[in-house]
Amino acid sequence: MKLACIAALCAFVVSPAFAQQTVHRHQSPPGVEPAKSHAAPPPEAVILFDGSFLDAWRTADGQPAAWTIENGDMVIKPGSGSLRTRQSFGPMHLHIEFCIPPSPDDVTGQARGNSGVYLAGNYEIQILDSFDAAPANNLAGGIYGHKAPLVNAARPAGQWQTYDIDFAPPRFDRDGRKTADAMITVIFNGVVIHERVAVPAITGGALSDVETATGPVMLQDHGHAIRFRNIWVVEKVHALSTDTPPLFQPVFNGRTLDGWVQRGGKADYRVEDGAIVGETRPNQPNTFLCTERDFADFELDLEFKIDDALNSGVQIRSHSEPDYREGVVHGYQVEIDPSNRAYTCGIYEESGRGWLDNLDDNVAARTAYRNGEWNRMHVLARGKHIRTWINGVPAADIVDDGAASGFIGLQVHGVGDRVEPLRVRWRHIMLREIDPD
């Protein structure tokens, strides 16, 4: 198991000599990932495990920790019981890295590498081998029994994974009455899966049946030899709350097209009921409504709805330059494809190389799209690595040497001489800019 986890960390670098090289997720060495492994704790961090000792931990009933240390990893000894920190915490940021051992193919569901991280001993963020599954509140990243993650950002078993969690415990008045629920933000492998989620009650398997203003971090023994490393906490003076600035900011204000510019053809764009509506016009080439500014590394989250007979997409890191085919929009496109082909959230290079990941090998993603309904698209672009999700299900995943920045664009595909208009709609277009590593 240790060898599998070490192998998963081997870095892969795309040589600059191989311009425009694309590596798909089933080929991609896991060293190219959106989250750092072994993230260095800041000076003010409380170190809970650095590979040396288990002194910060004890069993739930106060006995010495019985888990083992193997090659600098803390490893669950199945059946020995969950561990909790000796120290209790109030508002905090928790960083923890874990590696789930692979399970045989005939092992399914909650039996695949199950554990959990409990905040204040009472609120579980699930650990489970659920790579490529649709998000659920009892699968990886779920606030157990309460809320499914926005997307399933899990990696395959055998690879190191990371939770970065901001947590505020519930608040109480002088008489002990609860005045505010616990609140959680989780970034899983570099992807935001929960943001300022209020948790109204303790989750299953908690250390206590009473909510408290402070409590320990607890790691669950569910009978599987999960490995942990690099665990630390930064205690917070200002607790996470509804007043905490959101991680995502709107790219579209819901009222006007301020900040956007139209390129290409003459399809019609307008705002209706808080959504951008793109409508076809006959005998027009592909048309794009593009942001006026460029974006480099980011997470993008939006909803879209499209007529079944139309094709569309969302351009990212794209460009329009006079010296390239007379200004045609070109660059990465996250596909919107309501046809039976079902390539929605595949990655295509508009006016370039064509398909980079068409999802032919990803049945789960190709069946996640819902015709005639609002669907959710999520995109992570960080360095050379681009990932997409459709309704929370992992879709395309490439490592590519293409453009590192560019505008975002909303495509209305050309429809030839068709006169009857077709429409595509986008709403809740939100973006989180990411500082480069």
Side-chain angles (χ1 to χ4, degrees):
M1 182 63 247
K2 179 66 178 178
L3 292 176
C5 294
I6 291 174
L9 296 172
C10 294
F12 175 83
V13 179
V14 179
S15 170
F18 296 94
Q20 306 295 305
Q21 178 177 340
T22 303
V23 182
H24 298 273
R25 69 193 186 106
H26 296 300
Q27 303 166 307
S28 173
V32 183
E33 290 290 352
K36 289 182 179 179
S37 294
H38 275 319
E44 68 272 23
V46 177
I47 307 301
L48 299 179
F49 181 69
D50 65 359
S52 303
F53 306 102
L54 298 178
D55 294 356
W57 302 85
R58 60 182 180 180
T59 64
D61 59 0
Q63 299 303 308
W67 295 9
T68 61
I69 297 176
E70 298 177 9
N71 299 314
D73 303 336
M74 180 166 69
V75 185
I76 294 176
K77 181 180 179 182
S80 65
S82 301
L83 294 189
R84 53 164 291 177
T85 56
R86 293 178 179 273
Q87 183 174 344
S88 289
F89 301 96
M92 66 171 180
H93 175 87
L94 170 66
H95 176 91
I96 185 167
E97 299 172 18
F98 60 92
C99 183
I100 302 170
S103 299
D105 291 343
D106 60 349
V107 176
T108 60
Q110 297 294 305
R112 294 186 66 86
N114 196 324
S115 182
V117 178
Y118 284 79
L119 310 168
N122 283 338
Y123 314 95
E124 182 186 8
I125 308 300
Q126 173 79 318
I127 290 176
L128 193 73
D129 174 14
S130 47
F131 175 68
D132 267 0
N137 63 27
N138 64 343
L139 299 183
I143 302 174
Y144 192 84
H146 175 68
K147 193 172 192 306
L150 173 65
V151 300
N152 179 3
R155 300 175 187 168
Q159 296 186 19
W160 282 100
Q161 311 198 57
T162 302
Y163 282 150
D164 281 287
I165 303 170
D166 283 325
F167 172 70
R171 296 195 294 273
F172 302 87
D173 64 18
R174 292 181 180 180
D175 298 321
R177 292 186 293 259
K178 188 167 75 168
T179 60
D181 290 332
M183 183 168 285
I184 300 173
T185 290
V186 181
I187 298 179
F188 184 15
N189 294 330
V191 182
V192 177
I193 61 168
H194 299 291
E195 184 175 8
R196 299 185 303 177
V197 175
V199 185
I202 63 175
T203 61
L207 189 62
S208 170
D209 58 2
V210 177
E211 292 189 284
T212 57
T214 63
V217 175
M218 184 172 76
L219 303 180
Q220 183 187 54
D221 172 12
H222 206 285
H224 303 103
I226 314 298
R227 311 178 83 91
F228 297 92
R229 70 179 187 192
N230 196 22
I231 309 172
W232 45 266
V233 161
V234 173
E235 298 181 273
K236 297 288 189 178
V237 175
H238 301 291
L240 183 70
S241 73
T242 54
D243 295 326
T244 302
L247 298 175
F248 287 82
Q249 299 295 324
V251 181
F252 162 55
N253 64 22
R255 303 181 306 278
T256 71
L257 297 181
D258 292 350
W260 298 78
V261 61
Q262 187 165 330
R263 302 179 188 275
K266 296 182 179 180
D268 180 65
Y269 291 90
R270 59 186 182 273
V271 178
E272 291 181 357
D273 299 323
I276 296 175
V277 180
E279 185 174 273
T280 61
R281 293 291 182 266
N283 303 309
Q284 291 297 314
N286 294 347
T287 310
F288 303 87
L289 185 68
C290 308
T291 57
E292 291 179 347
R293 59 159 296 194
D294 289 352
F295 300 92
D297 288 0
F298 59 84
E299 267 188 275
L300 175 68
D301 190 77
L302 60 86
E303 295 178 4
F304 66 90
K305 185 178 181 181
I306 187 170
D307 291 347
D308 283 347
L310 185 60
N311 181 274
S312 180
V314 175
Q315 298 293 135
I316 62 170
R317 293 179 170 177
S318 293
H319 297 267
S320 173
E321 298 144 341
D323 58 352
Y324 182 82
R325 295 174 54 179
E326 299 181 342
V328 68
V329 169
H330 58 282
Y332 297 118
Q333 181 184 112
V334 184
E335 179 80 355
I336 296 176
D337 177 16
S339 74
N340 291 335
R341 187 178 61 172
Y343 286 173
T344 295
C345 284
I347 297 177
Y348 181 86
E349 188 174 60
E350 178 76 11
S351 296
R353 292 168 288 168
W355 283 108
L356 305 181
D357 188 342
N358 62 13
L359 307 184
D360 269 342
D361 62 347
N362 191 339
V363 175
R366 293 175 66 202
T367 56
Y369 172 78
R370 300 187 293 264
N371 285 79
E373 301 180 27
W374 285 100
N375 290 265
R376 191 164 203 161
M377 173 189 292
H378 197 88
V379 182
L380 176 70
R382 190 165 193 169
K384 299 178 182 182
H385 194 179
I386 302 175
R387 301 177 68 189
T388 69
W389 290 260
I390 172 65
N391 294 322
V393 176
D397 189 340
I398 66 169
V399 177
D400 189 71
D401 277 352
S405 66
F407 56 69
I408 292 168
L410 309 178
Q411 183 200 56
V412 174
H413 201 283
V415 291
D417 59 1
R418 177 181 174 127
V419 175
E420 182 181 0
L422 296 168
R423 299 173 185 87
V424 55
R425 295 167 169 84
W426 302 268
R427 69 182 184 187
H428 303 156
I429 307 173
M430 307 293 289
L431 185 139
R432 175 177 79 104
E433 293 193 78
I434 302 171
D435 292 333
D437 291 339

